[in-house]
C-alpha cells in the first residue's frame, strides 16, 4: 500500500489564489519550517486569462505586467465620461506571466511541493487524489463547492465574456488610455458592455461581456465583437491573434460556510470574487494577507459585523441586476457620471467610510437602491 504523504499546509488548486497563497508562505520566514503542498492537475503553461486590476502607485506584480494605463474612458448609453483616476493605475497581467513567475519563485523553496494530481475528496485532514492520498494539518481548497451550482436561494449573476486580441494594419489605438466600460452597443435590453485594452498603437484586447442572470447564446459574442470593432472603433482591417473567454460567477452565495479552523475555502471557491464586479485579483491579495496574518496567530480570518456591510451593498447591486437587468447600463452610467472613478475604486476596494458609501449610492439612483435595500432585507 502506498504511504500517505503528510504536510503542514496543503493548497488544493495552483491557480491564482493557490499560487498567491503559496508565494505569501515562501516570502514569510514563519513558514520556513512548514511542509507545504500544492495539488494541481494542470501544468499551468497556457495563457488562459488576462487579469486586470486597479491599484495606487507601485504594486508587487509590476515587473510582470504587460501594460498599465493612468487614463481611461467610460461610455454610457448617453454620456462619454473621462475617468478621474487620481493616483490609481489600471494594470494588465497575462496569467502566463504570473504562472511562470510564481512557479519559478516556488521552485526555489525546498519545503514547497508541487504535486500533479486531481483532488477527488476531502474528509477531515485526509485529501484523496486520483493518484495518491495525502494528510495535512491545514487545508486551503480553491475548488468551487458543489453546493453553489445547486443553490437556489442566493442571488447569482453570471459574467460570461469573449475577447479578441486584434492587430490592425495601421495605427488605431492610444496605448495611454483604455476603455473601462462601453455600453453603447447593447443587446436585447440586457446589461452588457465592451472594453478595450490597447497594448500599443496597433494591438488591443477587445472584450464583450454580459452581467446576466442566465447565459446568453454563444453565437452572439463573435457578432458583437465584429460589430463593435467596425462600427465603434472604425477598424476595417485587422487580424485576431488570441481569443479569451470565460464565465465569472458573481453571487451572494456563502462560499465560506464549510470553513472550519483547519479547512478554508479560497479563491472563487471561497467567495474571493467581489460579487458586484467579478474582479478578484486584488481581493485575492488582500484575502491572502489576512489569511497569513491569522495563521501566524494560529487562527482563521473573521469578518467583523461592521465590515459585512460591503457584502450587503454587493447584494443590493446584484439584486438590481437580477430583478431589472435592463437598468444596468443606466445605473452604471449614473454611478460613473456623478462619482469620480477614484472614489468608486476606493468603494469597491472596501476602503471607504460609511458617509462616502452613502454618497456614492445616493448619487446613483436613490429610488432603485432604496427599493433594492428593502428587497434584500426581506430575503
Ligand atoms: C477568463 C477569465 C478572465 C478573468 N479576468 C479577470 C480580471 O481581469 N480581473 C480580475 O480581478 N478577475 C478576473 N477573473 C476572475 C478571477 O480572477 C479568476 O477566475 C481567477 O483565476 C480566480 O482564481 P482561483 O484561484 O479561484 O481560480 P483559478 O485561477 O481557476 O485556479 C483554480 C485551480 O484549481 C485547479 N483545480 C480544479 N479542480 C481541481 C481539483 N479537483 N484538484 C486540484 N486542483 C483543482 C484548477 O486546475 C486551477 O488551476 C477572470 C476569470 C476568467 C475565467
Amino acid at each position: 500500500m502506498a504511504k500517505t504523504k503528510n504536510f503542514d499546509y496543503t493548497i488544493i488548486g495552483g491557480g491564482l489564489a493557490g499560487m498567491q497563497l503559496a508565494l505569501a508562505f515562501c516570502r514569510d520566514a514563519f513558514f520556513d519550517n512548514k511542509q507545504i503542498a500544492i495539488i494541481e492537475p494542470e501544468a499551468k503553461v497556457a495563457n488562459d486569462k488576462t487579469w486586470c486590476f486597479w491599484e495606487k502607485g507601485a504594486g508587487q506584480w509590476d515587473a510582470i505586467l504587460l501594460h498599465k494605463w493612468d487614463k481611461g474612458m467610460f461610455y454610457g448609453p448617453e454620456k462619454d465620461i473621462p475617468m478621474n483616476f487620481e493616483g490609481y493605475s489600471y494594470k494588465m497581467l497575462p496569467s502566463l506571466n504570473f504562472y511562470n513567475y510564481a512557479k519559478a519563485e516556488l521552485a526555489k523553496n525546498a519545503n514547497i511541493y508541487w504535486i500533479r494530481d486531481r483532488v477527488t475528496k476531502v474528509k477531515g485532514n485526509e485529501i484523496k487524489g486520483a493518484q495518491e492520498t495525502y494528510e495535512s494539518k491545514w487545508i486551503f481548497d480553491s475548488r468551487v463547492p458543489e453546493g453553489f451550482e445547486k443553490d437556489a436561494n442566493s442571488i447569482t449573476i453570471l459574467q460570461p465574456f469573449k475577447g479578441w486580441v486584434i492587430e490592425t494594419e495601421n495605427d488605431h489605438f492610444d496605448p495611454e488610455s483604455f476603455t473601462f466600460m462601453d455600453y453603447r452597443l447593447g443587446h436585447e435590453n440586457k446589461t452588457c458592455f465592451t472594453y478595450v485594452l490597447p497594448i500599443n498603437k496597433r494591438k488591443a484586447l477587445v472584450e464583450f461581456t454580459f452581467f446576466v442572470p442566465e447565459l446568453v447564446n454563444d453565437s452572439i459574442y463573435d457578432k458583437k465583437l465584429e460589430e463593435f470593432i467596425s462600427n465603434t472603433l472604425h477598424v476595417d482591417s485587422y487580424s485576431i491573434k488570441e481569443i479569451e473567454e470565460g464565465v465569472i460567477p458573481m453571487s451572494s452565495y456563502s462560499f465560506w460556510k464549510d470553513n472550519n479552523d483547519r479547512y478554508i475555502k479560497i479563491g472563487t471557491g471561497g467567495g474571493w470574487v467581489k460579487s458586484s464586479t467579478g474582479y478578484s485579483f486584488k481581493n485575492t491579495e488582500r484575502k491572502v494577507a489576512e489569511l497569513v496574518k491569522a495563521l501566524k496567530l494560529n487562527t482563521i480570518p473573521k469578518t467583523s459585523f461592521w465590515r459585512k456591510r460591503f457584502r450587503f451593498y454587493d447584494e443590493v447591486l446584484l439584486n438590481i441586476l437580477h430583478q431589472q437587468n435592463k437598468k444596468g447600463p443606466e445605473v452604471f452610467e449614473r454611478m460613473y457620471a456623478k462619482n469620480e472613478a477614484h472614489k468608486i475604486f476606493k468603494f469597491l476596494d472596501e476602503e471607504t467610510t460609511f458617509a462616502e458609501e452613502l454618497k456614492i449610492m445616493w448619487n446613483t439612483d436613490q429610488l432603485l437602491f432604496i427599493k433594492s435595500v428593502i428587497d434584500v432585507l426581506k430575503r
Side-chain angles (χ1 to χ4, degrees):
M1 208 168 117
K3 196 170 163 287
T4 305
K5 297 191 171 168
N6 282 282
F7 300 100
D8 293 300
Y9 299 103
T10 297
I11 300 171
I12 302 177
L16 173 63
M19 285 200 200
Q20 277 209 23
L21 181 59
L23 283 171
F25 285 153
C26 60
R27 284 172 182 161
D28 192 318
F30 177 86
F31 301 96
D32 282 355
N33 61 355
K34 310 282 188 222
Q35 299 298 298
I36 300 165
I38 306 165
I39 306 180
E40 164 62 52
E42 309 289 335
K44 306 305 278 184
V45 289
N47 191 32
D48 51 7
K49 290 174 189 127
T50 306
W51 285 304
C52 287
F53 53 93
W54 55 82
E55 69 182 351
K56 270 204 163 159
Q60 57 170 316
W61 316 105
D62 283 0
I64 53 171
L65 295 178
L66 178 63
H67 203 70
K68 72 177 175 105
W69 302 267
D70 299 326
K71 281 190 292 185
M73 284 296 295
F74 178 102
Y75 296 96
E78 305 290 334
K79 291 185 187 143
D80 300 353
I81 307 162
M83 298 170 80
N84 176 0
F85 278 11
E86 221 174 75
Y88 283 95
S89 299
Y90 196 68
K91 302 185 177 182
M92 181 186 199
L93 174 55
S95 60
L96 192 56
N97 287 15
F98 172 78
Y99 301 148
N100 287 342
Y101 166 79
K103 284 193 292 183
E105 286 298 299
L106 298 175
K108 293 177 192 164
N109 295 266
N111 61 329
I112 305 226
Y113 303 85
W114 182 272
I115 299 170
R116 287 286 293 277
D117 201 352
R118 180 176 293 279
V119 170
T120 54
K121 196 173 175 188
V122 177
K123 196 169 174 212
N125 66 348
E126 188 182 85
I127 303 163
K128 273 204 183 307
Q131 314 289 335
E132 290 199 52
T133 300
Y134 315 88
E135 272 185 14
S136 185
K137 290 187 189 129
W138 296 78
I139 299 170
F140 309 99
D141 189 353
S142 56
R143 294 171 306 153
V144 175
E146 283 172 11
F148 171 59
E149 297 268 306
K150 296 177 195 145
D151 177 76
N153 297 323
S154 323
I155 311 173
T156 299
I157 287 287
L158 300 171
Q159 187 187 149
F161 54 88
K162 185 164 188 179
W164 293 346
V165 174
I166 58 164
E167 218 162 67
T168 58
E169 267 178 24
N170 303 310
D171 290 355
H172 256 289
F173 304 110
D174 172 6
E176 303 294 314
S177 178
F178 75 108
T179 298
F180 182 63
M181 284 177 160
D182 187 328
Y183 284 95
R184 291 173 294 180
L185 178 67
H187 180 69
E188 291 177 355
N189 275 333
K190 296 185 194 303
T191 300
C192 57
F193 58 93
T194 316
Y195 58 86
V196 185
L197 306 173
I199 300 148
N200 59 45
K201 286 183 181 169
R202 294 184 183 195
K203 197 172 182 184
L205 171 61
V206 186
E207 292 213 358
F208 187 73
T209 306
F210 287 96
F211 283 169
V212 275
E214 265 144 39
L215 289 178
V216 177
N217 192 312
D218 273 354
S219 61
I220 203 72
Y221 297 90
D222 288 346
K223 287 187 200 136
K224 289 290 169 187
L225 285 166
E226 272 170 21
E227 203 178 327
F228 185 86
I229 292 168
S230 52
N231 299 349
T232 307
L233 297 180
H234 305 292
V235 173
D236 302 322
S237 185
Y238 61 92
S239 53
I240 302 169
K241 297 291 171 194
E242 283 169 53
I243 297 175
E244 166 175 287
E245 52 195 325
V247 181
I248 304 175
M250 298 156 59
S251 179
S252 63
Y253 182 79
S254 301
F255 287 93
W256 45 84
K257 65 181 171 200
D258 296 326
N259 284 3
N260 60 44
D261 59 358
R262 286 289 184 270
Y263 175 82
I264 297 161
K265 299 294 285 184
I266 62 170
T268 309
W272 291 7
V273 173
K274 173 91 174 156
S275 66
S276 55
T277 63
Y279 282 91
S280 93
F281 191 89
K282 279 300 283 185
N283 221 20
T284 300
E285 219 177 286
R286 281 186 282 271
K287 296 284 185 187
V288 161
E290 280 171 24
L291 184 52
V292 165
K293 192 171 161 201
L295 288 173
K296 288 167 75 174
L297 300 169
N298 205 27
T299 175
I300 59 167
K302 304 231 168 19
T303 308
S304 72
F305 174 77
W306 179 237
R307 284 205 66 77
K308 283 186 187 151
R309 72 190 191 278
F310 288 104
R311 271 189 218 153
F312 182 76
Y313 303 146
D314 288 339
E315 213 166 317
V316 167
L317 187 66
L318 279 180
N319 184 57
I320 293 175
L321 291 171
H322 205 270
Q323 300 299 325
Q324 305 203 52
N325 198 260
K326 65 173 186 203
K327 296 250 181 192
E330 195 184 310
V331 167
F332 288 110
E333 179 176 87
R334 283 180 78 149
M335 186 181 277
Y336 282 88
K338 302 225 169 142
N339 301 285
E340 287 166 293
H342 64 94
K343 292 187 181 158
I344 300 174
F345 287 168
K346 190 176 168 197
F347 173 53
L348 296 176
D349 285 341
E350 306 185 357
E351 290 167 356
T352 33
T353 62
F354 186 53
E356 288 172 321
E357 290 143 27
L358 284 182
K359 204 168 163 195
I360 288 175
M361 283 182 281
W362 195 252
N363 276 345
T364 301
D365 188 329
Q366 297 99 325
L367 276 182
L368 203 62
F369 271 81
I370 291 168
K371 190 179 165 305
S372 185
V373 164
I374 297 168
D375 281 355
V376 171
L377 287 173
K378 279 197 210 150
R379 283 176 68 88

